[in-house]
Amino acid sequence: DMPFATIELLRNRMICGRLGARYLGGLQGPLNMPRQISAATAQVLSEIQTVQDSQLQLDQLILTPHRVGATTTYGKQLVFQSSPDIEAVIRDDLLNVIAIKHDSLLLAGQGAGDEPLGIINTPGVNAVNFGGAATFAKMVAFETALGKMNADQGSLAYATSPGAKGIWKATAVALTGATTVSSRSIWENAAYGDGGNDGSVNSYRAASTNQIPLDKVIYGNWNELIYGNWGGWDMVLDVYTKAKNAEIVLTVNTWIDGGLRHA
């Protein structure tokens, strides 16, 4: 006999943790992280010249909990008539949809309507405008922009949509002024050994997911992304509220926020 197994749903890929986001769990109350935004000034002086006063400046990265939850109701008869694993399938589904939502909010949360503020919508994040077809020169422009801000360090990686990935895999690397077309594509295969199916762009890790809207591209140091969690994963199995209907209610709640150390 073959054991019963539920065929899993094909879900959006989660990428933030894999690319290097910093997870902070067990938080209590708002998290205020002091951040230096300017420095004192070093001065070149004559032997007896008075050095001028200068000061560094600080602001704060503030993270506050935003509730993300999911609930489902199922009949006790379903439990009796199905494999003993059906309740585990239901539980895992709730956990999966919430985790995928966390990842989506870290990437593209609106920062309004109770949503955390995601990378794409964070003020101060710079933009590279393609203005046409993807080119290798635009990939280099991402790297150059980070270098000019002293931010080209840490867990550097690209993230985009499967649609953009497909175009990059069919687009050759063409260096400015080159007289021949390279046999290499912008998106190249790579083997990271973690099941992520990620590739390589301009020698940096590259991931694709349907979590990123409108074929946008994100490139940066993913260690800058802070993923905060308050209270872990709160799971409540309610066998009483709908007992008259012979139904069970399973609810999972989480409280999370995200923010960038440097936009």
Side-chain angles (χ1 to χ4, degrees):
D1 294 338
M2 294 185 63
F4 169 82
T6 300
I7 300 173
E8 297 180 354
L9 182 68
L10 298 176
R11 306 176 190 266
N12 287 353
R13 293 178 183 271
M14 295 180 286
I15 63 170
C16 291
R18 189 169 75 249
L19 296 185
R22 303 185 190 207
Y23 177 77
L24 300 178
L27 299 179
Q28 296 181 354
L31 177 65
N32 301 325
M33 303 178 67
R35 172 172 53 193
Q36 184 176 347
I37 58 174
S38 68
T41 303
Q43 303 159 47
V44 178
L45 307 163
S46 66
E47 182 178 356
I48 59 173
Q49 187 177 357
T50 301
V51 64
Q52 300 299 310
D53 185 44
S54 62
Q55 294 180 337
L56 62 83
Q57 289 183 309
L58 300 173
D59 72 354
Q60 288 184 328
L61 172 61
I62 301 175
L63 301 183
T64 57
H66 300 258
R67 187 161 69 100
V68 181
T71 187
T72 191
T73 302
Y74 56 96
K76 288 189 175 182
Q77 185 172 329
L78 174 65
V79 178
F80 299 151
Q81 292 185 330
S82 303
S83 163
D85 292 332
I86 191 63
E87 287 188 298
V89 171
I90 295 170
R91 181 186 65 246
D92 289 347
D93 179 66
L94 291 185
L95 297 177
N96 277 320
V97 297
I98 292 175
I100 291 170
K101 187 65 173 180
H102 287 184
D103 191 78
S104 174
L105 291 168
L106 292 173
L107 293 169
Q110 297 296 315
D114 297 320
E115 288 192 1
L117 183 63
I119 296 172
I120 290 174
N121 297 309
T122 298
V125 171
N126 286 280
V128 172
N129 182 17
F130 277 63
T135 65
F136 186 70
K138 289 297 183 180
M139 305 300 116
V140 175
F142 279 96
E143 181 182 347
T144 302
L146 278 191
K148 288 181 176 180
M149 295 180 287
N150 297 321
D152 54 339
Q153 56 188 317
S155 184
L156 296 169
Y158 286 88
T160 189
S161 67
K165 171 185 175 180
I167 293 173
W168 293 5
K169 293 194 78 169
T171 302
V173 171
L175 300 179
T176 303
T179 57
T180 58
V181 176
S182 171
S183 60
R184 294 172 49 207
S185 61
I186 292 176
W187 185 295
E188 298 180 293
N189 293 329
Y192 295 98
D194 57 8
N197 196 32
D198 295 339
S200 175
V201 171
N202 193 21
S203 76
Y204 296 101
R205 187 166 187 155
S208 68
T209 176
N210 284 312
Q211 305 271 63
I212 295 180
L214 304 175
D215 295 330
K216 290 182 179 291
V217 180
I218 300 172
Y219 172 73
N221 173 14
W222 290 80
N223 293 152
E224 296 284 353
L225 176 59
I226 304 297
Y227 168 25
N229 180 286
W230 288 257
W233 295 65
D234 182 67
M235 180 178 295
V236 176
L237 184 67
D238 180 1
V239 298
Y240 304 107
T241 302
K242 294 196 173 185
K244 290 183 179 180
N245 300 331
E247 290 180 316
I248 300 169
V249 181
L250 179 61
T251 303
V252 180
N253 279 295
T254 60
W255 291 263
I256 63 119
D257 199 6
L260 295 176
R261 298 171 71 250
H262 299 95

